[in-house]
Amino acid sequence: MNTFGQLYRLTSFGESHGPAIGGIIDGMPAGIPIDLHKLQIELDRRRPGQSELVTARQETDKVEILSGFFDGKTLGTPIAFIVRNEDHNSTDYSEIEKVYRPSHADYTYSAKYGLRDYRGGGRSSARETISRVVAGAFAKQALEGFGIDIKAFTSQVGEIALTGTYRDYDLSLIDSNPVRCPDPAVANQMKDLILNIKSAGDTVGGIITCVITGCPVGLGDPVFGKLSSSLASAMMSINAAKGFDYGLGFSEIHKKGSEVIDNFFSSDDGCISVKTNHSGGIQGGISNGADIYFRVAFKPVATLLQPVETVDVEGKPTTLRAKGRHDPCVLPRAVPVVEAMAAMVIFDSLLLMRTNRL
Amino acid sequence: MNTFGQLYRLTSFGESHGPAIGGIIDGMPAGIPIDLHKLQIELDRRRPGQSELVTARQETDKVEILSGFFDGKTLGTPIAFIVRNEDHNSTDYSEIEKVYRPSHADYTYSAKYGLRDYRGGGRSSARETISRVVAGAFAKQALEGFGIDIKAFTSQVGEIALTGTYRDYDLSLIDSNPVRCPDPAVANQMKDLILNIKSAGDTVGGIITCVITGCPVGLGDPVFGKLSSSLASAMMSINAAKGFDYGLGFSEIHKKGSEVIDNFFSSDDGCISVKTNHSGGIQGGISNGADIYFRVAFKPVATLLQPVETVDVEGKPTTLRAKGRHDPCVLPRAVPVVEAMAAMVIFDSLLLMRTNRL
Amino acid sequence: MNTFGQLYRLTSFGESHGPAIGGIIDGMPAGIPIDLHKLQIELDRRRPGQSELVTARQETDKVEILSGFFDGKTLGTPIAFIVRNEDHNSTDYSEIEKVYRPSHADYTYSAKYGLRDYRGGGRSSARETISRVVAGAFAKQALEGFGIDIKAFTSQVGEIALTGTYRDYDLSLIDSNPVRCPDPAVANQMKDLILNIKSAGDTVGGIITCVITGCPVGLGDPVFGKLSSSLASAMMSINAAKGFDYGLGFSEIHKKGSEVIDNFFSSDDGCISVKTNHSGGIQGGISNGADIYFRVAFKPVATLLQPVETVDVEGKPTTLRAKGRHDPCVLPRAVPVVEAMAAMVIFDSLLLMRTNRL
Amino acid sequence: MNTFGQLYRLTSFGESHGPAIGGIIDGMPAGIPIDLHKLQIELDRRRPGQSELVTARQETDKVEILSGFFDGKTLGTPIAFIVRNEDHNSTDYSEIEKVYRPSHADYTYSAKYGLRDYRGGGRSSARETISRVVAGAFAKQALEGFGIDIKAFTSQVGEIALTGTYRDYDLSLIDSNPVRCPDPAVANQMKDLILNIKSAGDTVGGIITCVITGCPVGLGDPVFGKLSSSLASAMMSINAAKGFDYGLGFSEIHKKGSEVIDNFFSSDDGCISVKTNHSGGIQGGISNGADIYFRVAFKPVATLLQPVETVDVEGKPTTLRAKGRHDPCVLPRAVPVVEAMAAMVIFDSLLLMRTNRL
């Protein structure tokens, strides 16, 4: 199953070392103006080689739109897109034909399918997230017309964490540094940590926080289609994601109910709002009009530039010495992916909501 | 969208104060022997009134199977089931017709649908989880035939937490106490905390840990259908769930890659296994044969037995004094729900895996 | 897969000789007023025992709504309903435990599932269509609010056929006779034919024609979701259906393109319309605002009240002498089923169309 | 909704005058050997310019596989493919920017989406069927491993029809003539008719018959997933299809039940079979092991090379004089499309059947 979404659907394809990566967006309404330049900017935020913090692979990742788009607007028909794979350096990967990299998908794929494209990570490669960023960029631009904005940022790398909540920072600064952290001072510390870890041939994880503003009341469904469930599913489908929470999340369990309920009040314009937002903008699975915010935990990348013990495809012990160019920390490049997945979920929910009442 | 699953699908229905709660299981293979007595035991673990730690409502929650089952076996056709709602004490709820309870779904439902069944929580009631437990119980019994076992337990209530991992406890003790914690001493502390909180008219949250043993290699799909994504979606669809992680999860972000990769080795019988299991049994989204384990964070219940400030349906400020019988802590009753949702995900994945190769 | 529809979805359940037949309607918008009396009338049109032309089985088929409905309106949540099975006369069916009835589903079910509920037809029983009629009746009432009307009628029984098109008859006469044919004289001939066939222990087939008026332009999707494809899928899922065509259908193949294209013109109110309607209201898979009409061919029922040669479950030759009460012709009772399936398709398409443009 | 199938799924994309046509096949099992040369042959059977009976447009329609395929075998991951659009002769179509062609999708698309790609037929172009032929060719090759064979042929053009059933012809002769009719003499008559019609600037319709041999017992689901329903949905989604029936179909309605039931017998090898096959290989919606056969009616193409009255996009009366190169009869090129859609349905059903029992 390589399709995500119910009405706004991305079906993605592509192995890292095949001819191309891409996807088909189905369910995009007709007549939405799309700025392809802005779309490419999102891809560039995900691109390798953009800073010293990420893999040095050089890929321009230029997207070609093959259908569903005409005269600057969506046609209401499927939008297919491809990004050609350019930087095939198969010597980097030749060893993994015969060896299972620890904590990678090599072994599980081989066992599941009985064969795999051993020239690279195949579908488990981070290149797969290109298709998510494209589909998310279309959704983001559609959401702008509704005043809905989505911003993700790196809030923790290893032990270095932002101390405030998202309200304490100027989120326009997120892209001012290669870590994508809205506090420049903390961003610097994170950067130093990543470079140190990198020089030791090791890797580090962290947390991305995402904030969605401007949502109407009513997104999400009461039971299995809770907005929180859809967001969790979306985020946990990203490579290296290990955890998700929203609102107070895991830190709420230490509190009493009386400390965390969000009392309602009526604002001057007659709108019902919450005084606090421990619920993270979602109550009973449905958006309540307050900011939606959530966190995604990412593990340290499993590809180390130091010898690791493992087995070959015949089960014999061996030592793997990874070569090539790898990310010491996925977070900077995962920020646009988190935003893209969030945009797809919110836009899908918005379309579904149009059918809740006639 | 009230359907969960791709091949093994539950479609659930029912408002808390309507005639019945229930669902239809579609996609259950034919010929699976099912012990309805064991199924009822699962429902009894979820039932109100089972201990002093949970709501005192009395509902027998006897399930009636309407189809798809004959001579002790599944027919391969849809299995419909209902549980009649018995304990309608509408005076308990009469006030909520006119008032929005804080951190409940009353307001978001009303705004989304334009109307609601104000006699109770409707679809947002915890009674809705009955249908999950039934569908999960069918899946659990089918999984037993494959040697797959699923056990969840309360690992934290408020500040009181188990200090070891699931391997440090005798999981057969889970149901030996009303908290459903495998360490009887810690369970006692948790129980005292819940009773104290209850007597103060307050509520408390916590964490449920779940362990799945005996899975084959190959469950889950590489991209959007990652097993971790499906489990997250399942867990975050449970009432009051605020967070999910698997393997080391949120605690992994503090570590270096070299500390958390799971080295492969070949066991004496020639099977490839992992020396450690920081990955929680899932690599690249696909089960690797090791134990799958994950955590779910639950918030303190939003219904307090103390006055809370809110607004009525016209937006005017008011004070709500909840009456009736409510859970001070959802965790003891949520344990079978977590197991049920996990069972559905694993069984669905197992069916899907049968189509990965011919 | 026992679910029909994409946004307006019916999941049905029930064996003919189990406790109940029913289903869950998901995706019904909130706030739709529903007249349960009118709904029961639809069920009564499908009911056995309503005339001498149909099976004499006596079942009241009273529907109970279990959820999703409150104060006369839909809640936007799943609508579950059941009809209890009453007239269990298992001696009628005892023989079919051991014998495969020709042209029935006994053999294919047994081979597919390895077991079956041999007390009756199970899921292949015409009782299964109860759930369709209920879900269709909800859809029909919702469609009335849009001025969309659906009428089916018997247009052919055996060799006796209406000679005109649907425009030549007063469709309000459909229910004036037990055959459900709008021409009373032809209806009488059909009735005589059915009774003759019945007295010979034989059965007869025919054609149902269905007309949908008042549809907006734009229902249906360009490729796989063509309205014609959805209608075909719906109709061919009805028991005993053997063929489907729309517009001129099979009779169009004898004509030249110049004879059957539908020229456009603008009516006085500025609307674009077609001068003729050979296309049956659907062009490129999408409704064009003209009447939608189609035909469904039904085979003669396979249950004969005369000896037939067959094999038992062990493959040994045997002669089956069907007892009990069976329909000599399905058409009179299939008319409301055809309408119901059409209503579900049209309403589903109407909901989907709300997401084609923002 | 541009996805077809439940487990074996094709998502198609592409406007006739955009950069490319193509699709993604999801759910193809791993390890299936595929001969790309044979796949291209299927595309060549669908290609324009292959004979004097079809449009003279020249398009090589060479398919490029972008993913999911490695070392001659499927990987179990999504198979993306594209065919570039080459023969853009926009002057052929320039007029249709401003005029609605009768019985085409121009008007319904414009009304549905509010805009369209006016350079050609967009999604309603017959070029869209390229993606079906590719996905069908993959399915066909997978089915060969199970001994399942699918053959379609032209059985009627205008008034000229084959008089026998499929058993009366040598189906290896289908591709021996440009009409794709297994009786060379009748094929010649059909060819003459098409050429006459063509020279008059007119068009003609007909019937394609399809036969599927070698199916196991058990394909298809009892209710909405009847194999007959899936095949009908598949066929009626093809451009210009107006009708579908299987087995005796529309001609069965003239017969008595006693004339058309298929008596069972046990063959010498102990297999249960039917003596006759009026059911067309499907009983109760499920394959019974006998040959599956069905018919699809195609209308005369709506594009005439003679003046036709219509309206422009502003509703003003005008006369359209189609230029360019068009098919006088779709049947020769629709034969591989019918086979492809049938192959997808059968393969999807085969995969689903693997989950009916454990």
Side-chain angles (χ1 to χ4, degrees):
Chain A
M1 182 52 112
N2 291 276
T3 298
F4 183 83
Q6 194 175 345
L7 282 177
Y8 184 78
R9 286 181 300 277
L10 167 66
T11 302
S12 90
F13 73 83
E15 276 73 40
S16 60
H17 286 63
I21 293 279
I24 300 177
I25 300 164
D26 200 5
M28 171 57 95
I32 311 277
I34 297 293
D35 180 339
L36 293 185
H37 179 68
K38 284 171 70 177
L39 189 154
Q40 187 63 48
I41 288 172
E42 294 290 340
L43 275 177
D44 292 346
R45 296 174 77 209
R46 194 218 71 91
R47 195 168 60 79
Q50 61 181 282
S51 79
E52 60 187 327
L53 300 187
V54 306
T55 171
R57 278 196 311 276
Q58 291 301 329
E59 300 188 273
T60 55
D61 291 350
K62 291 300 173 201
V63 67
E64 182 188 8
I65 308 292
L66 296 178
S67 65
F69 188 73
F70 180 59
D71 267 357
K73 287 185 180 165
T74 58
L75 283 169
T77 58
I79 301 165
F81 57 89
I82 59 172
V83 171
R84 293 275 171 186
N85 292 326
E86 297 169 6
D87 191 21
H88 286 185
N89 195 341
S90 59
T91 56
D92 286 3
Y93 288 99
S94 61
E95 194 168 26
I96 68 173
E97 176 177 356
K98 292 170 198 145
V99 174
Y100 292 138
R101 292 170 293 170
S103 291
H104 271 271
D106 304 333
Y107 168 61
T108 52
Y109 274 43
S110 293
K112 181 182 184 73
Y113 295 116
L115 81 178
R116 66 188 163 104
D117 180 350
Y118 49 72
R119 294 169 299 177
R123 288 294 279 161
S124 75
S125 162
R127 268 192 84 64
E128 175 274 328
T129 58
I130 285 176
S131 66
R132 304 173 185 234
V133 171
V134 174
F138 273 91
K140 247 186 178 179
Q141 294 195 30
L143 289 171
E144 279 172 18
F146 293 86
I148 298 173
D149 184 65
I150 298 173
K151 283 206 169 56
F153 54 88
T154 300
S155 53
Q156 181 163 355
V157 174
E159 300 279 2
I160 302 170
L162 288 178
T163 50
T165 76
Y166 70 91
R167 292 179 206 83
D168 301 318
Y169 302 98
D170 176 358
L171 301 189
S172 72
L173 298 179
I174 292 171
D175 277 317
S176 70
N177 59 74
V179 185
R180 298 208 159 86
C181 171
D183 182 324
V186 176
N188 257 329
Q189 293 175 274
M190 291 172 169
K191 179 182 158 189
D192 290 345
L193 174 61
I194 296 172
L195 292 176
N196 281 339
I197 291 273
K198 179 184 176 185
S199 66
D202 215 326
T203 62
V204 66
I207 292 178
I208 288 176
T209 296
C210 184
V211 188
I212 309 169
T213 57
C215 284
V217 190
L219 299 179
D221 265 9
V223 180
F224 302 122
K226 285 188 172 76
L227 194 55
S228 35
S229 173
S230 303
L231 287 169
S233 165
M235 298 307 145
M236 295 304 293
S237 78
I238 302 174
N239 295 15
K242 295 297 291 277
F244 169 89
D245 65 4
Y246 76 100
L248 291 195
F250 273 95
S251 54
E252 189 166 2
I253 58 177
H254 307 291
K255 312 235 168 164
K256 293 180 193 162
S258 58
E259 296 173 296
V260 296
I261 62 165
D262 293 316
N263 297 104
F264 287 115
F265 75 103
S266 286
S267 54
D268 295 341
D269 60 357
C271 280
I272 293 174
S273 305
V274 282
K275 291 185 183 174
T276 50
N277 187 15
H278 305 125
S279 302
I282 301 173
Q283 290 179 331
I286 295 170
S287 65
N288 67 358
D291 294 350
I292 294 169
Y293 62 95
F294 59 84
R295 302 188 305 158
V296 190
F298 288 90
K299 70 173 184 178
V301 185
T303 305
L304 310 182
L305 294 180
Q306 50 183 254
V308 292
E309 289 175 44
T310 186
V311 297
D312 64 18
V313 296
E314 286 165 0
K316 290 184 194 143
T318 184
T319 298
L320 178 72
R321 284 174 185 78
K323 280 164 286 188
R325 300 151 297 176
H326 299 281
D327 290 279
C329 176
V330 295
L331 281 87
R333 292 178 59 205
V335 162
V337 180
V338 166
E339 290 180 359
M341 294 305 294
M344 279 193 272
V345 168
I346 297 297
F347 191 50
D348 196 22
S349 302
L350 199 72
L351 293 175
L352 279 166
M353 201 174 83
R354 294 172 77 90
T355 67
N356 290 146
R357 301 198 221 173
L358 296 182
Chain B
M1 181 53 112
N2 291 276
T3 299
F4 183 82
Q6 195 175 346
L7 282 177
Y8 184 78
R9 286 181 299 277
L10 167 65
T11 302
S12 89
F13 72 84
E15 277 72 41
S16 61
H17 286 64
I21 292 279
I24 301 176
I25 301 163
D26 200 6
M28 171 58 95
I32 311 278
I34 297 293
D35 180 339
L36 292 185
H37 179 66
K38 284 171 70 177
L39 189 154
Q40 187 62 49
I41 288 172
E42 294 291 340
L43 275 177
D44 292 346
R45 295 173 79 208
R46 195 218 70 92
R47 193 169 62 80
Q50 61 180 282
S51 79
E52 61 187 325
L53 299 186
V54 306
T55 170
R57 278 196 310 278
Q58 290 301 330
E59 301 187 273
T60 55
D61 291 351
K62 292 299 172 202
V63 68
E64 182 188 8
I65 307 292
L66 297 177
S67 66
F69 188 72
F70 181 58
D71 267 358
K73 287 185 180 166
T74 58
L75 283 169
T77 58
I79 300 166
F81 57 90
I82 58 171
V83 171
R84 294 276 170 184
N85 292 326
E86 297 169 7
D87 191 21
H88 286 186
N89 194 342
S90 59
T91 56
D92 285 5
Y93 286 99
S94 61
E95 194 168 25
I96 68 173
E97 176 178 355
K98 291 170 199 147
V99 173
Y100 292 138
R101 290 171 293 170
S103 290
H104 272 271
D106 304 334
Y107 168 61
T108 52
Y109 274 43
S110 293
K112 182 182 184 72
Y113 295 116
L115 81 178
R116 67 188 162 105
D117 180 350
Y118 48 72
R119 294 169 300 177
R123 289 294 278 161
S124 75
S125 163
R127 270 192 82 65
E128 176 275 326
T129 57
I130 286 176
S131 65
R132 305 173 184 233
V133 172
V134 174
F138 273 90
K140 249 185 174 179
Q141 295 195 29
L143 288 172
E144 279 172 18
F146 293 85
I148 298 174
D149 184 64
I150 297 173
K151 283 206 170 56
F153 55 87
T154 300
S155 53
Q156 181 164 354
V157 175
E159 300 279 0
I160 303 170
L162 289 177
T163 50
T165 77
Y166 70 91
R167 293 180 206 82
D168 301 318
Y169 302 99
D170 176 358
L171 300 188
S172 72
L173 298 179
I174 291 171
D175 277 317
S176 69
N177 59 75
V179 184
R180 298 206 159 87
C181 171
D183 182 324
V186 176
N188 258 329
Q189 294 176 274
M190 290 171 170
K191 178 182 157 189
D192 291 345
L193 174 61
I194 296 173
L195 291 177
N196 281 339
I197 291 273
K198 179 185 176 185
S199 66
D202 216 327
T203 61
V204 65
I207 292 177
I208 289 176
T209 296
C210 183
V211 188
I212 309 169
T213 57
C215 285
V217 191
L219 299 179
D221 265 9
V223 181
F224 302 122
K226 286 187 171 75
L227 193 55
S228 35
S229 173
S230 302
L231 287 169
S233 166
M235 298 306 144
M236 296 304 293
S237 79
I238 302 174
N239 295 15
K242 294 297 291 278
F244 168 91
D245 65 4
Y246 76 100
L248 291 194
F250 273 95
S251 55
E252 189 167 2
I253 59 179
H254 308 290
K255 313 234 167 167
K256 293 181 194 162
S258 58
E259 296 172 296
V260 296
I261 62 165
D262 294 316
N263 298 104
F264 286 115
F265 74 103
S266 286
S267 53
D268 294 342
D269 60 357
C271 281
I272 293 175
S273 305
V274 282
K275 292 184 181 173
T276 50
N277 186 15
H278 305 125
S279 301
I282 301 172
Q283 290 179 331
I286 296 171
S287 66
N288 68 357
D291 294 350
I292 294 169
Y293 61 96
F294 59 84
R295 301 187 306 158
V296 190
F298 288 90
K299 69 173 185 180
V301 186
T303 304
L304 310 182
L305 293 180
Q306 49 181 256
V308 292
E309 289 175 46
T310 187
V311 296
D312 64 18
V313 295
E314 286 165 0
K316 290 184 192 143
T318 185
T319 300
L320 178 73
R321 284 174 184 79
K323 280 163 287 188
R325 299 152 297 177
H326 299 282
D327 290 280
C329 177
V330 296
L331 281 87
R333 293 177 59 204
V335 162
V337 180
V338 165
E339 290 179 359
M341 294 305 295
M344 280 193 270
V345 167
I346 297 297
F347 191 50
D348 196 23
S349 302
L350 199 72
L351 292 175
L352 280 166
M353 202 174 84
R354 294 172 78 90
T355 66
N356 290 145
R357 302 199 221 173
L358 295 183
Chain C
M1 180 54 111
N2 291 276
T3 298
F4 182 83
Q6 195 176 345
L7 282 177
Y8 184 78
R9 285 181 301 275
L10 167 65
T11 302
S12 90
F13 72 85
E15 276 74 39
S16 60
H17 287 62
I21 292 279
I24 300 176
I25 301 163
D26 200 5
M28 170 59 94
I32 311 277
I34 297 293
D35 180 339
L36 293 185
H37 179 67
K38 285 171 69 177
L39 188 154
Q40 186 63 47
I41 288 172
E42 294 292 340
L43 275 177
D44 292 346
R45 296 173 78 208
R46 195 218 70 92
R47 194 169 61 79
Q50 61 180 280
S51 79
E52 60 186 328
L53 300 186
V54 305
T55 172
R57 278 197 310 277
Q58 290 301 331
E59 302 188 273
T60 55
D61 290 352
K62 292 299 174 202
V63 68
E64 181 188 10
I65 308 292
L66 297 178
S67 66
F69 187 72
F70 181 59
D71 267 357
K73 288 185 179 166
T74 58
L75 284 169
T77 58
I79 300 166
F81 57 91
I82 59 172
V83 171
R84 293 274 171 186
N85 292 326
E86 297 169 4
D87 190 22
H88 286 184
N89 193 342
S90 59
T91 57
D92 284 3
Y93 288 98
S94 61
E95 193 169 26
I96 68 173
E97 176 177 355
K98 291 169 199 149
V99 174
Y100 292 139
R101 292 170 294 171
S103 290
H104 272 270
D106 304 333
Y107 168 61
T108 52
Y109 274 43
S110 293
K112 182 182 185 71
Y113 296 116
L115 80 178
R116 67 187 161 106
D117 180 350
Y118 48 72
R119 294 169 300 177
R123 289 294 278 163
S124 76
S125 162
R127 270 193 82 65
E128 175 275 325
T129 58
I130 285 176
S131 66
R132 304 174 184 233
V133 172
V134 174
F138 273 92
K140 248 185 176 180
Q141 294 195 29
L143 288 171
E144 278 173 18
F146 293 86
I148 298 173
D149 183 65
I150 297 172
K151 283 205 169 55
F153 55 88
T154 300
S155 53
Q156 182 163 356
V157 174
E159 300 278 2
I160 302 170
L162 289 177
T163 50
T165 76
Y166 69 92
R167 292 181 207 80
D168 301 318
Y169 302 99
D170 176 357
L171 300 189
S172 71
L173 298 179
I174 291 171
D175 278 316
S176 70
N177 59 75
V179 184
R180 297 207 160 85
C181 170
D183 182 324
V186 176
N188 257 328
Q189 294 175 275
M190 291 171 168
K191 179 183 158 190
D192 290 345
L193 174 62
I194 295 172
L195 292 176
N196 281 339
I197 291 273
K198 180 185 175 185
S199 66
D202 216 326
T203 61
V204 65
I207 292 179
I208 288 176
T209 295
C210 183
V211 188
I212 308 169
T213 56
C215 285
V217 190
L219 299 179
D221 265 10
V223 180
F224 302 122
K226 285 187 172 75
L227 194 55
S228 36
S229 174
S230 303
L231 286 169
S233 166
M235 298 307 145
M236 296 304 293
S237 78
I238 302 175
N239 295 16
K242 294 296 292 277
F244 168 91
D245 65 3
Y246 75 100
L248 291 193
F250 273 95
S251 55
E252 190 167 1
I253 58 178
H254 308 289
K255 312 233 167 166
K256 292 180 194 162
S258 58
E259 296 171 295
V260 296
I261 62 165
D262 294 315
N263 297 104
F264 287 115
F265 75 103
S266 287
S267 54
D268 295 341
D269 61 356
C271 280
I272 293 174
S273 304
V274 282
K275 290 183 183 175
T276 50
N277 186 15
H278 305 124
S279 301
I282 301 173
Q283 290 180 331
I286 296 171
S287 66
N288 67 358
D291 294 350
I292 293 168
Y293 62 97
F294 58 84
R295 302 187 306 158
V296 190
F298 288 90
K299 70 173 184 178
V301 186
T303 305
L304 311 181
L305 295 180
Q306 49 182 254
V308 292
E309 288 175 45
T310 186
V311 297
D312 65 18
V313 295
E314 284 165 2
K316 290 183 194 145
T318 184
T319 300
L320 178 72
R321 284 173 186 80
K323 281 164 286 188
R325 299 153 297 177
H326 300 281
D327 290 279
C329 176
V330 295
L331 281 88
R333 292 177 59 205
V335 162
V337 180
V338 166
E339 291 180 358
M341 294 306 293
M344 279 192 272
V345 167
I346 298 297
F347 191 50
D348 196 23
S349 301
L350 199 72
L351 292 176
L352 279 166
M353 202 175 83
R354 294 172 77 90
T355 67
N356 290 145
R357 301 198 221 173
L358 296 183
Chain D
M1 181 53 112
N2 291 277
T3 298
F4 183 82
Q6 195 175 345
L7 283 177
Y8 185 78
R9 286 181 299 278
L10 167 65
T11 302
S12 90
F13 73 84
E15 276 73 40
S16 60
H17 287 64
I21 293 279
I24 301 176
I25 301 164
D26 200 5
M28 171 57 96
I32 310 279
I34 298 292
D35 179 339
L36 293 185
H37 179 68
K38 284 171 69 177
L39 189 153
Q40 186 62 49
I41 288 171
E42 295 291 340
L43 275 177
D44 292 347
R45 296 174 78 209
R46 195 218 69 92
R47 193 169 62 79
Q50 61 180 281
S51 80
E52 60 186 327
L53 299 186
V54 305
T55 171
R57 279 197 309 277
Q58 290 301 331
E59 301 187 273
T60 54
D61 291 350
K62 292 298 173 203
V63 66
E64 181 188 9
I65 308 291
L66 297 178
S67 65
F69 188 72
F70 181 58
D71 266 358
K73 287 185 181 166
T74 58
L75 283 169
T77 58
I79 300 165
F81 57 90
I82 59 172
V83 172
R84 294 275 170 185
N85 293 325
E86 296 168 5
D87 190 21
H88 286 186
N89 194 340
S90 58
T91 56
D92 285 3
Y93 287 99
S94 61
E95 194 169 26
I96 68 173
E97 175 178 354
K98 291 171 198 147
V99 174
Y100 292 137
R101 292 171 293 171
S103 290
H104 273 271
D106 304 334
Y107 168 60
T108 52
Y109 275 43
S110 293
K112 182 182 184 72
Y113 296 116
L115 79 178
R116 69 189 161 103
D117 180 350
Y118 49 72
R119 294 170 299 177
R123 288 293 279 160
S124 75
S125 162
R127 270 192 83 65
E128 175 275 326
T129 58
I130 285 176
S131 65
R132 304 174 184 233
V133 172
V134 174
F138 273 91
K140 248 184 175 180
Q141 294 196 29
L143 288 171
E144 278 172 18
F146 293 85
I148 299 173
D149 184 63
I150 297 173
K151 282 206 170 55
F153 55 87
T154 300
S155 53
Q156 181 163 355
V157 175
E159 300 278 1
I160 302 169
L162 289 177
T163 50
T165 76
Y166 70 92
R167 292 179 207 83
D168 300 319
Y169 301 99
D170 175 357
L171 300 188
S172 72
L173 298 179
I174 291 171
D175 277 316
S176 70
N177 59 75
V179 185
R180 299 205 159 86
C181 171
D183 182 323
V186 176
N188 257 328
Q189 294 176 274
M190 291 171 169
K191 179 182 158 190
D192 291 345
L193 174 61
I194 295 172
L195 291 176
N196 281 339
I197 291 273
K198 180 185 175 185
S199 67
D202 216 326
T203 62
V204 65
I207 293 179
I208 288 175
T209 296
C210 183
V211 189
I212 309 169
T213 57
C215 285
V217 190
L219 299 179
D221 266 9
V223 180
F224 302 121
K226 285 188 171 74
L227 193 55
S228 35
S229 173
S230 303
L231 286 168
S233 165
M235 298 307 146
M236 295 305 293
S237 78
I238 302 175
N239 295 16
K242 295 296 291 277
F244 169 91
D245 65 2
Y246 76 100
L248 291 194
F250 274 95
S251 55
E252 189 167 2
I253 59 177
H254 308 290
K255 312 234 168 166
K256 292 180 194 162
S258 58
E259 296 172 297
V260 295
I261 62 165
D262 293 316
N263 297 105
F264 286 115
F265 74 103
S266 286
S267 54
D268 295 341
D269 59 358
C271 281
I272 293 175
S273 304
V274 281
K275 291 185 182 173
T276 50
N277 186 15
H278 305 124
S279 302
I282 301 173
Q283 291 179 330
I286 296 171
S287 65
N288 68 357
D291 294 350
I292 294 169
Y293 62 95
F294 59 85
R295 302 186 306 157
V296 190
F298 288 91
K299 69 173 185 179
V301 186
T303 304
L304 311 181
L305 293 179
Q306 49 182 253
V308 292
E309 290 175 44
T310 187
V311 297
D312 64 18
V313 296
E314 286 165 1
K316 289 183 194 145
T318 184
T319 300
L320 178 72
R321 283 174 185 79
K323 280 163 286 186
R325 300 151 297 176
H326 300 281
D327 291 279
C329 177
V330 295
L331 281 87
R333 293 177 59 205
V335 162
V337 180
V338 166
E339 291 180 358
M341 294 305 294
M344 280 193 270
V345 167
I346 297 297
F347 191 50
D348 196 23
S349 302
L350 199 72
L351 292 176
L352 280 165
M353 202 174 83
R354 295 172 77 90
T355 67
N356 290 146
R357 301 198 223 173
L358 295 183

